[in-house]
Amino acid sequence: MPLQRDPAPPLAIIGMGMRLPGGISTAEEFWSLLIGKKDGRCRVPSSRYNVDAFYGDKTHQQNIATDHGYFLDVDIKGFD
């Protein structure tokens, strides 16, 4: 006759970590963004590339369609 084991007790993992555009890093900031109908959109950071060299000049093929986007304002090298 096989041994009967007690079922495992319920387990809940509760927690949230985030880094989102607009400087959002806590649940409260995220909630405020949603409730306030805000947006994390910003101009391309100069640390990414020189957006002025590629945006606005429609006479060249090497251009981009927008000078804005959704960027993290933390160094992503520190992520796991």
Side-chain angles (χ1 to χ4, degrees):
M1 182 169 171
L3 293 174
Q4 289 187 348
R5 295 184 179 180
D6 292 332
L11 175 67
I13 299 173
I14 301 172
M16 184 169 34
M18 64 183 80
R19 298 294 182 267
L20 302 172
I24 306 298
S25 61
T26 67
E28 292 79 17
E29 292 171 340
F30 183 53
W31 184 248
S32 176
L33 178 96
L34 295 174
I35 294 299
K37 299 179 181 179
K38 298 177 186 173
D39 194 345
R41 182 177 176 258
C42 67
R43 184 165 164 82
V44 175
S46 61
S47 61
R48 298 291 177 108
Y49 61 90
N50 181 3
V51 68
D52 294 323
F54 296 99
Y55 177 73
D57 184 4
K58 302 296 183 199
T59 61
H60 295 91
Q61 286 184 326
Q62 303 294 330
N63 62 14
I64 57 174
T66 182
D67 61 343
H68 285 78
Y70 296 87
F71 299 93
L72 298 178
D73 59 355
V74 295
D75 185 6
I76 60 172
K77 293 176 187 172
F79 282 10
D80 289 325

